[in-house]
Amino acid sequence: MRFVDLAPGDPRLTADVLPVLLELRPHLTPESFGHVYSEGHPQGLRYTAVYEDDRCVAVAGWRFVATTVAVRKLYVDDLVTGSDHRRQGVGAALLRELESRARQAGCRVLDLDSGADREYAHRFYFREGMVIRGLHFIRRLL
């Protein structure tokens, strides 16, 4: 298992990462994903893929964020393991890698949002020692 950081424009984003990411974000297209990453990268968005041999099996989209609540945190936008590699420790390894990066960067918190209906993901996060600290509210604008 190896962790690979991918810059915008890297052809592996569309060829390797997007098929895994689509399991969590089915609304994405190669074009919309490219636009999001191009705009998000200057804001700190990064994508880290987990490869086994030459196959991408998991991916995380993440960023460092300064906030009044945590001062500095690592926020996970996306964390997904391909369905055929779940329950094999890949997601846990990726989460540990992100935690290591957060600690090295002086973050006080690693956090993420998870859809209220994603019970299997919630079990995973609890098993990994994460806790619920609040509710996330949105207002749809489009």
Side-chain angles (χ1 to χ4, degrees), residues 30-43:
E31 295 77 23
S32 65
F33 180 45
H35 290 300
V36 166
Y37 200 16
S38 292
E39 183 176 342
H41 192 266
Q43 300 169 4

PDB file of all heavy atoms in Angstrom, residues 30-43:
ATOM      1  N   PRO A  30     -15.682  14.006 -15.184  1.00  0.00           N
ATOM      2  CA  PRO A  30     -14.268  14.381 -15.313  1.00  0.00           C
ATOM      3  C   PRO A  30     -14.081  15.899 -15.383  1.00  0.00           C
ATOM      4  O   PRO A  30     -13.151  16.445 -14.773  1.00  0.00           O
ATOM      5  CB  PRO A  30     -13.834  13.693 -16.609  1.00  0.00           C
ATOM      6  CG  PRO A  30     -14.736  12.505 -16.712  1.00  0.00           C
ATOM      7  CD  PRO A  30     -16.064  12.977 -16.163  1.00  0.00           C
ATOM      8  N   GLU A  31     -14.977  16.576 -16.079  1.00  0.00           N
ATOM      9  CA  GLU A  31     -14.868  18.026 -16.215  1.00  0.00           C
ATOM     10  C   GLU A  31     -15.129  18.734 -14.889  1.00  0.00           C
ATOM     11  O   GLU A  31     -14.363  19.618 -14.488  1.00  0.00           O
ATOM     12  CB  GLU A  31     -15.838  18.545 -17.285  1.00  0.00           C
ATOM     13  CG  GLU A  31     -15.533  18.062 -18.684  1.00  0.00           C
ATOM     14  CD  GLU A  31     -15.965  16.602 -18.936  1.00  0.00           C
ATOM     15  OE1 GLU A  31     -16.868  16.074 -18.228  1.00  0.00           O
ATOM     16  OE2 GLU A  31     -15.372  15.981 -19.837  1.00  0.00           O
ATOM     17  N   SER A  32     -16.202  18.363 -14.189  1.00  0.00           N
ATOM     18  CA  SER A  32     -16.524  19.050 -12.934  1.00  0.00           C
ATOM     19  C   SER A  32     -15.465  18.758 -11.870  1.00  0.00           C
ATOM     20  O   SER A  32     -15.082  19.651 -11.102  1.00  0.00           O
ATOM     21  CB  SER A  32     -17.926  18.680 -12.434  1.00  0.00           C
ATOM     22  OG  SER A  32     -18.014  17.311 -12.087  1.00  0.00           O
ATOM     23  N   PHE A  33     -14.960  17.532 -11.835  1.00  0.00           N
ATOM     24  CA  PHE A  33     -13.904  17.193 -10.882  1.00  0.00           C
ATOM     25  C   PHE A  33     -12.646  18.017 -11.175  1.00  0.00           C
ATOM     26  O   PHE A  33     -12.029  18.579 -10.263  1.00  0.00           O
ATOM     27  CB  PHE A  33     -13.612  15.693 -10.944  1.00  0.00           C
ATOM     28  CG  PHE A  33     -12.540  15.227  -9.997  1.00  0.00           C
ATOM     29  CD1 PHE A  33     -12.498  15.654  -8.679  1.00  0.00           C
ATOM     30  CD2 PHE A  33     -11.582  14.327 -10.421  1.00  0.00           C
ATOM     31  CE1 PHE A  33     -11.512  15.207  -7.807  1.00  0.00           C
ATOM     32  CE2 PHE A  33     -10.587  13.870  -9.569  1.00  0.00           C
ATOM     33  CZ  PHE A  33     -10.552  14.318  -8.258  1.00  0.00           C
ATOM     34  N   GLY A  34     -12.291  18.138 -12.429  1.00  0.00           N
ATOM     35  CA  GLY A  34     -11.137  18.947 -12.808  1.00  0.00           C
ATOM     36  C   GLY A  34     -11.302  20.397 -12.404  1.00  0.00           C
ATOM     37  O   GLY A  34     -10.363  21.031 -11.895  1.00  0.00           O
ATOM     38  N   HIS A  35     -12.506  20.950 -12.608  1.00  0.00           N
ATOM     39  CA  HIS A  35     -12.768  22.342 -12.236  1.00  0.00           C
ATOM     40  C   HIS A  35     -12.691  22.531 -10.722  1.00  0.00           C
ATOM     41  O   HIS A  35     -12.089  23.501 -10.242  1.00  0.00           O
ATOM     42  CB  HIS A  35     -14.126  22.809 -12.754  1.00  0.00           C
ATOM     43  CG  HIS A  35     -14.196  22.972 -14.238  1.00  0.00           C
ATOM     44  ND1 HIS A  35     -13.390  23.842 -14.942  1.00  0.00           N
ATOM     45  CD2 HIS A  35     -14.979  22.372 -15.159  1.00  0.00           C
ATOM     46  CE1 HIS A  35     -13.661  23.762 -16.233  1.00  0.00           C
ATOM     47  NE2 HIS A  35     -14.627  22.864 -16.388  1.00  0.00           N
ATOM     48  N   VAL A  36     -13.309  21.610  -9.982  1.00  0.00           N
ATOM     49  CA  VAL A  36     -13.285  21.718  -8.525  1.00  0.00           C
ATOM     50  C   VAL A  36     -11.852  21.679  -8.014  1.00  0.00           C
ATOM     51  O   VAL A  36     -11.456  22.489  -7.170  1.00  0.00           O
ATOM     52  CB  VAL A  36     -14.125  20.594  -7.873  1.00  0.00           C
ATOM     53  CG1 VAL A  36     -13.838  20.475  -6.385  1.00  0.00           C
ATOM     54  CG2 VAL A  36     -15.609  20.835  -8.107  1.00  0.00           C
ATOM     55  N   TYR A  37     -11.053  20.752  -8.534  1.00  0.00           N
ATOM     56  CA  TYR A  37      -9.684  20.648  -8.036  1.00  0.00           C
ATOM     57  C   TYR A  37      -8.832  21.840  -8.470  1.00  0.00           C
ATOM     58  O   TYR A  37      -8.034  22.357  -7.688  1.00  0.00           O
ATOM     59  CB  TYR A  37      -9.052  19.334  -8.473  1.00  0.00           C
ATOM     60  CG  TYR A  37      -7.851  18.935  -7.639  1.00  0.00           C
ATOM     61  CD1 TYR A  37      -7.592  19.514  -6.395  1.00  0.00           C
ATOM     62  CD2 TYR A  37      -6.977  17.971  -8.089  1.00  0.00           C
ATOM     63  CE1 TYR A  37      -6.496  19.146  -5.637  1.00  0.00           C
ATOM     64  CE2 TYR A  37      -5.872  17.588  -7.329  1.00  0.00           C
ATOM     65  CZ  TYR A  37      -5.639  18.181  -6.105  1.00  0.00           C
ATOM     66  OH  TYR A  37      -4.551  17.812  -5.368  1.00  0.00           O
ATOM     67  N   SER A  38      -9.035  22.323  -9.665  1.00  0.00           N
ATOM     68  CA  SER A  38      -8.288  23.509 -10.118  1.00  0.00           C
ATOM     69  C   SER A  38      -8.612  24.731  -9.260  1.00  0.00           C
ATOM     70  O   SER A  38      -7.720  25.505  -8.910  1.00  0.00           O
ATOM     71  CB  SER A  38      -8.601  23.810 -11.582  1.00  0.00           C
ATOM     72  OG  SER A  38      -8.083  22.803 -12.403  1.00  0.00           O
ATOM     73  N   GLU A  39      -9.878  24.900  -8.918  1.00  0.00           N
ATOM     74  CA  GLU A  39     -10.265  26.030  -8.073  1.00  0.00           C
ATOM     75  C   GLU A  39      -9.880  25.791  -6.610  1.00  0.00           C
ATOM     76  O   GLU A  39      -9.464  26.709  -5.899  1.00  0.00           O
ATOM     77  CB  GLU A  39     -11.771  26.275  -8.176  1.00  0.00           C
ATOM     78  CG  GLU A  39     -12.235  27.481  -7.394  1.00  0.00           C
ATOM     79  CD  GLU A  39     -13.713  27.795  -7.566  1.00  0.00           C
ATOM     80  OE1 GLU A  39     -14.339  27.325  -8.522  1.00  0.00           O
ATOM     81  OE2 GLU A  39     -14.227  28.538  -6.710  1.00  0.00           O
ATOM     82  N   GLY A  40     -10.037  24.558  -6.159  1.00  0.00           N
ATOM     83  CA  GLY A  40      -9.782  24.242  -4.754  1.00  0.00           C
ATOM     84  C   GLY A  40      -8.311  24.160  -4.381  1.00  0.00           C
ATOM     85  O   GLY A  40      -7.945  24.413  -3.232  1.00  0.00           O
ATOM     86  N   HIS A  41      -7.449  23.798  -5.332  1.00  0.00           N
ATOM     87  CA  HIS A  41      -6.033  23.625  -5.020  1.00  0.00           C
ATOM     88  C   HIS A  41      -5.396  24.893  -4.442  1.00  0.00           C
ATOM     89  O   HIS A  41      -4.704  24.826  -3.412  1.00  0.00           O
ATOM     90  CB  HIS A  41      -5.273  23.125  -6.253  1.00  0.00           C
ATOM     91  CG  HIS A  41      -3.903  22.660  -5.948  1.00  0.00           C
ATOM     92  ND1 HIS A  41      -2.800  23.482  -6.055  1.00  0.00           N
ATOM     93  CD2 HIS A  41      -3.432  21.463  -5.523  1.00  0.00           C
ATOM     94  CE1 HIS A  41      -1.725  22.811  -5.717  1.00  0.00           C
ATOM     95  NE2 HIS A  41      -2.072  21.581  -5.389  1.00  0.00           N
ATOM     96  N   PRO A  42      -5.621  26.088  -5.024  1.00  0.00           N
ATOM     97  CA  PRO A  42      -5.064  27.301  -4.410  1.00  0.00           C
ATOM     98  C   PRO A  42      -5.645  27.578  -3.017  1.00  0.00           C
ATOM     99  O   PRO A  42      -5.043  28.300  -2.225  1.00  0.00           O
ATOM    100  CB  PRO A  42      -5.439  28.420  -5.382  1.00  0.00           C
ATOM    101  CG  PRO A  42      -5.712  27.745  -6.673  1.00  0.00           C
ATOM    102  CD  PRO A  42      -6.241  26.379  -6.324  1.00  0.00           C
ATOM    103  N   GLN A  43      -6.807  27.007  -2.722  1.00  0.00           N
ATOM    104  CA  GLN A  43      -7.435  27.153  -1.407  1.00  0.00           C
ATOM    105  C   GLN A  43      -6.945  26.082  -0.432  1.00  0.00           C
ATOM    106  O   GLN A  43      -7.395  26.025   0.711  1.00  0.00           O
ATOM    107  CB  GLN A  43      -8.954  27.053  -1.537  1.00  0.00           C
ATOM    108  CG  GLN A  43      -9.558  28.100  -2.423  1.00  0.00           C
ATOM    109  CD  GLN A  43     -11.019  27.821  -2.741  1.00  0.00           C
ATOM    110  OE1 GLN A  43     -11.635  26.873  -2.253  1.00  0.00           O
ATOM    111  NE2 GLN A  43     -11.594  28.656  -3.588  1.00  0.00           N
TER     112      GLN A  43
END
